[in-house]
Amino acid sequence: MARYTYHFGLVEGISADVTICTPNQKPKNVLICFAGAEKDATELLNYGSPLESAANDSHTVLYLIPSKLSKTYKPKFELEDKWSKNSIESGYYITPEFNVLLDKIIEHAKSNYGIQKVSLLGHSAGGNAALVYAIKKPELIASVSVLAPEINLNMESAWGGDVLKNLREGQEKEWSIYHILRDNPNAFWTMPIFVQYGTADTFIPLKDFISFRTLFEKRIETENLYIDELPDVDHSRKLIVPYIAQHVKFHSTQISKI
């Protein structure tokens, strides 16, 4: 697979350098990967080898890394020292500006690779971002898969409480997948969704995942919902490598059905 960087110009105050890995032949799918908020989330690129190996010649892979986002305005985040630069910038996942930028990235993928829909894969904060975007714009998304998604995004949660300060009062519910599902009791989605989470995750309590799972089972068509609970697995990026091939296979299977 060939690897290069594509710069998406300023859209609503945000621009991005996106690493793109594309096969030698025309891909059947475009897989957009959202890194999480860990200080070393850029290592997703170092983990690109197993992802790209699994993707083989069927997927073009686009990596979204928060630290590769640039802004023309000063962030309002007032984070504690424990949060890294990457954690601060991953807060831009939950802004209207980022979603406009993602619209542009998807339009680029559609026009350059001859596809009508893309697939999304996200870890941690990136998992929440992938789910929220997919739920809001299902017409653009073929399938979505997430590892340890930041589903308890609220003012009381460890990371969410800080980044949500950047939003207007009451707006935080628009960017939390848990709140979107909870507050739309009549909503029902048919999009294929694959969720993996670890029982040893100390960042997102298991009770939150259980509540989240219950909501998903009510809101997502049963035959399109896949939830995998991983015993003794925590929240770290080490979750990515052993299971990434399962996610690529999931997306390949869904694309074959279109």
Side-chain angles (χ1 to χ4, degrees):
M1 298 181 80
R3 177 182 286 209
Y4 64 97
T5 298
Y6 188 92
H7 179 76
F8 289 88
L10 288 173
V11 178
E12 298 291 328
I14 300 181
S15 63
D17 290 324
V18 177
T19 298
I20 301 177
C21 302
T22 187
N24 296 323
Q25 63 186 45
K26 184 178 179 180
K28 297 178 181 178
N29 187 32
V30 172
L31 179 60
I32 301 179
C33 301
F34 298 70
E38 296 182 11
K39 64 181 181 180
D40 43 6
T42 51
E43 288 193 20
L44 180 62
L45 289 175
N46 296 334
Y47 288 145
S49 180
L51 194 158
E52 291 159 32
S53 176
N56 200 0
D57 288 333
S58 59
H59 300 264
T60 285
V61 181
L62 280 68
Y63 294 98
L64 287 177
I65 308 293
S67 61
K68 299 295 184 181
L69 300 177
S70 58
K71 281 72 60 178
T72 57
Y73 55 91
K74 183 178 180 180
K76 301 176 183 177
F77 306 137
E78 299 175 359
L79 301 184
E80 300 176 13
D81 291 340
K82 64 180 178 178
W83 300 116
S84 67
K85 181 175 182 289
N86 201 79
S87 297
I88 294 173
E89 291 172 331
S90 64
Y92 286 94
Y93 277 153
I94 54 171
T95 62
E97 294 84 3
F98 175 77
N99 278 256
V100 173
L101 176 65
L102 191 53
D103 288 344
K104 186 173 182 179
I105 293 173
I106 292 177
E107 186 57 40
H108 171 85
K110 290 171 63 177
S111 61
N112 281 271
Y113 302 112
I115 49 95
Q116 295 303 310
K117 295 184 177 183
V118 302
S119 297
L120 306 181
L121 186 159
H123 171 234
S124 190
N128 178 78
L131 287 168
V132 169
Y133 188 88
I135 290 295
K136 289 187 174 184
K137 298 198 173 180
E139 70 278 5
L140 298 176
I141 308 303
S143 54
V144 57
S145 70
V146 293
L147 303 98
E150 173 68 60
I151 46 89
N152 62 341
L153 189 63
N154 55 63
M155 294 303 291
E156 288 72 44
S157 67
W159 172 78
D162 282 323
V163 299
L164 288 172
K165 293 176 183 176
N166 196 47
L167 301 177
R168 295 189 300 273
E169 183 178 355
Q171 197 180 38
E172 65 272 8
K173 292 182 180 181
E174 296 180 27
W175 304 103
S176 163
I177 187 61
Y178 177 83
H179 286 93
I180 290 173
L181 294 176
R182 186 196 67 181
D183 298 340
N184 291 276
N186 297 320
F188 190 71
W189 291 274
T190 59
M191 176 193 319
I193 295 177
F194 178 32
V195 180
Q196 279 188 321
Y197 62 90
T199 61
D201 193 327
T202 57
F203 192 76
I204 304 174
L206 184 59
K207 64 178 180 63
D208 287 348
F209 275 120
I210 293 173
S211 298
F212 174 69
R213 180 172 187 153
T214 300
L215 275 176
F216 252 51
E217 289 172 345
K218 291 179 179 178
R219 303 283 184 266
I220 309 297
E221 189 174 55
T222 303
E223 64 180 27
N224 284 331
L225 178 62
Y226 307 83
I227 299 181
D228 188 12
E229 186 177 281
L230 305 171
D232 303 320
V233 172
D234 62 15
H235 191 78
S236 77
R237 68 189 186 283
K238 295 178 181 177
L239 170 68
I240 298 173
V241 176
Y243 301 101
I244 199 70
Q246 294 180 25
H247 287 254
V248 174
K249 183 178 180 180
F250 165 76
H251 293 295
S252 296
T253 300
Q254 304 311 318
I255 285 296
S256 68
K257 295 178 181 179
I258 297 178

